Amino acid sequence: MRRLYIILVMAVCISIILFVVAFFYIDTHRHTTFFYNIYQNQNIFSTARLDKYNTEDKIVYKSETLTPFHSVYDKHRRNLSINKKGLKVHSYNKKHLSEGVSMNIYIMRVDSSINFLAVGHSNFAYANRLPMNKDFVVFEKDAIISYFNLVDKYDFKLGGLQSIHALTHTYTFLPPHKSDLEVWIHDEEIIEIAGKKIKAVCLKIKLPDKNEIYVWINRWTHIPLLVKEPRSGFKAVYQETQKRITAKRYTRESDEYENREIAFKNKDISLSGTISVPKGEGPFKAVILAWGPGPQDREALGMFTDIADGLARNDTAVLRFDKRGIAKSEGDFSRFTGEDLISDLSCALDFLLKQEEIDKDRIAILGHSEGGYSAAHLAAINPNISACIIMAGVEAVNLPDTDLEMMWDFDKSATNWNEKYMNDISDTAKDTAEILKSGKDWALLLHKRIFLKKCRLDIEKKSSDIIRKLGVPTLILRGGKDTVTLPGHIELLEEALKDGGNDVYEIIYFNRLNHFFGEKVEDGTHRTHLSIDKNVIDTIAKWLNKNLIVAPEPAPEPPAEETASPEEEETPEEGAIELREIEEDPPEENISRKGVL
Amino acid sequence: MKRLSVLLIILYVIASSVSSYADEDYEYTAHDKLARGVFSMITFLLEIPITMYEISVEENPLMGILYGFPLGFGKGAIRLAVGTAEVFTTALPPFEPILKPEYLLFEPVR
């Protein structure tokens, strides 16, 4: 009996060894790895590893791009599965990852159509069977995996100019865009890659926006060696090993204020942040910052770093913190709803009220984009908020996107939209709404468990109801070049404020600025971040000084005519007006103001 | 013995009707059939790691273990049965392969 056990154990051990050996053998023969360095404007931006697997029926490409310079995500994973028969795309999966956060895109071929699913944190979009009659490649110009797919599809025997149908996914919650790429052999030359001279074929790709991309591929193996898009400064270069690169975080410090790391609790969840407190004698007026959509930390792509710095220099304490489940804050961002967000902001306010150096009667809240809604909501329900600042509206109309990198390119990609694509968007909206009709919190789509609650609550929420309840002084800022919120959105906000009887509001347009009130900065040292225009911060600081004033000693009320200041006398009831106080700094045409002061 | 004979006859009937995985440009011979049968009988267990590997690549490693093992085991059993049948019916046509791939781990050069 004992001998039998020994034999059995030996058999199991030998089987395991054979299995492991078989795995290694199979992997060696069916798997190849390639490395690339990716440059943006001469600076190294990311490094990519691409694995190619040959299975019985499919060619599977898997890539992982490390992007320490990306504004939000550290890693981008892509999987592309191609049927060997006819080299048809079977499925495509894209994942953007950062600390505890992921954004997933799934595209799956079903007969002559595709299924599309986007899961961005606690949001989602779904399209069932979008028509896709033609064979296609998946093409994203900054993803090295796309060039493998494209080179596979180009018929070298036929040669010449070939039109290849492509699917490009740009906006997280919008379906992939269909277009045609023109590809042809441009040249043959010897290029030097990784210290070796290699005979290469140069393929030229003409994109629908007329941009041209050059791809040098190995003459014999057809492996992409060098990819260049001269106009955008994008370049991918083949490497023999993967290089490790790091980027610094964008921070700002000054002797005029102190940045303190803080943490407060919302029930069991600990939320971490930074409070910037001016040096000198308090108590100081204070501002809580509320972010726009997506996985944002306390810096909000550098926007809050700049705002906190600018306001703290102007004797204002600023509290900013990481969203639930992001960076150092605890919680699950994939089940995060608008209600949780308001609750977290409310706890931040409670934290501020407990601080000795903060003047409890002079606390304001500032929200950017979707954060404008959160800010208005808290200001409407909590009497401890004395003023509210709404930057760039209260919601992103028609763009439930959280991918800010893509938003910057919105104008360019929008020009390629056609009627067919608008139909795809419409179908996606319908299919997504159909899923939400179930009223459930969870659903199973394409074998993935999807959280529905946030999406449903977002649709049900009515921002105008909240704005009507907003009784505190309110400042609304809008960039004239904002392509995310519609211009009419601000008028609706104003109407709601008037309906609610709020007569202490001001609307300021920064005509040359966009949704983010600043520029994207790619300096090759720090993570990609935003630099907010100084005029915006100065305007906020001045407005806060004017509206968050220390309560005066009670005095007998003088007659109404005598109290009116010269400024108030000059102010017309309605319409855009220029104010003298900001004329000297920015050019007059860049800022216009409107409102009842 | 009687059961084995019945099994072999069934497999032979299947082999006679199924040859969809055959290389259309190549004329198979009895020699190919014997070589294929013997190789299948020797390597049938490799179906398990190969299937596990492929599912790991196409889906994920967890699926590779949980789903790949039983599937690979089943495919291995079929390969053993088919290989045995091919060895015993070497001289009888058809000579085209039944299973895909013809050989595990490598592709024959023709």
Side-chain angles (χ1 to χ4, degrees), chain A residues 238-255:
Chain A
Y238 176 84
Q239 302 291 312
E240 297 209 321
T241 52
Q242 192 165 22
K243 193 178 172 180
R244 290 205 76 80
I245 52 168
T246 52
K248 288 182 184 170
R249 292 191 78 81
Y250 171 64
T251 53
R252 293 195 80 156
E253 282 174 4
S254 163
D255 293 338

Side-chain angles (χ1 to χ4, degrees), chain A residues 110 205 216 258 303 306 318 378 383 390 424 429 480 482 489 518 522-523 540 571 574 595:
Chain A
V110 185
I205 305 164
W216 283 266
E258 188 189 352
M303 285 180 79
D306 284 354
V318 181
L378 190 66
I390 295 170
D424 285 350
D482 189 339
H489 176 67
E522 286 175 334
D523 58 11
I540 295 170
T571 309
E574 287 285 335

Side-chain angles (χ1 to χ4, degrees), chain B residues 2-24:
Chain B
K2 194 180 171 187
R3 279 184 187 173
L4 184 64
S5 307
V6 171
L7 184 69
L8 289 175
I9 290 165
I10 291 168
L11 283 169
Y12 178 72
V13 170
I14 294 169
S16 307
S17 55
V18 182
S19 60
S20 58
Y21 300 121
D23 184 345
E24 287 171 11

Side-chain angles (χ1 to χ4, degrees), chain A residues 266-283:
Chain A
N266 182 0
K267 292 171 191 162
D268 298 335
I269 296 169
S270 173
L271 300 161
S272 294
T274 302
I275 184 165
S276 306
V277 184
K279 285 185 179 164
E281 265 191 47

Side-chain angles (χ1 to χ4, degrees), chain B residues 57-108:
Chain B
V57 167
E58 288 175 21
E59 300 290 336
N60 57 60
L62 187 68
M63 281 286 280
I65 294 165
L66 296 178
Y67 179 58
F69 187 86
L71 188 68
F73 191 84
K75 284 168 83 173
I78 292 170
R79 186 166 290 275
L80 175 65
V82 171
T84 310
E86 286 191 317
V87 168
F88 279 93
T89 62
T90 298
L92 304 170
F95 304 117
E96 284 79 15
I98 301 165
L99 293 178
K100 182 192 171 188
E102 265 184 85
Y103 296 93
L104 290 174
L105 300 180
F106 73 93
E107 280 185 32

Side-chain angles (χ1 to χ4, degrees), chain A residues 19 22-23 26-27 30-31 53 55-58 60 62, chain B residues 46 48-50 52-54 56-58 69 100-101 105:
Chain A
F19 261 54
F23 258 90
I26 297 161
D27 196 57
R30 296 186 177 192
H31 174 198
Y53 299 90
T55 70
E56 198 50 51
D57 306 319
K58 296 188 179 82
V60 179
K62 293 185 178 187
Chain B
L46 284 174
I48 301 172
I50 287 173
M52 286 168 73
Y53 179 82
E54 294 204 339
S56 300
V57 167
E58 288 175 21
F69 187 86
K100 182 192 171 188
L105 300 180

Side-chain angles (χ1 to χ4, degrees), chain A residues 186-250:
Chain A
H186 175 64
D187 203 1
E188 266 195 45
E189 58 185 308
I190 293 171
I191 58 167
E192 194 170 326
I193 293 288
K196 290 177 188 166
K197 288 188 174 174
I198 302 169
K199 195 167 186 183
V201 174
C202 178
L203 288 178
K204 200 169 174 180
I205 305 164
K206 197 169 186 180
L207 307 179
D209 61 6
K210 308 294 176 204
N211 264 6
E212 285 174 345
I213 298 177
Y214 298 85
V215 186
W216 283 266
I217 58 167
N218 187 307
R219 171 79 175 76
W220 314 110
T221 59
H222 289 181
I223 301 300
L225 300 169
L226 177 64
V227 181
K228 268 188 188 176
E229 192 198 8
R231 202 189 285 183
S232 70
F234 171 83
K235 188 170 80 169
V237 187
Y238 176 84
Q239 302 291 312
E240 297 209 321
T241 52
Q242 192 165 22
K243 193 178 172 180
R244 290 205 76 80
I245 52 168
T246 52
K248 288 182 184 170
R249 292 191 78 81
Y250 171 64

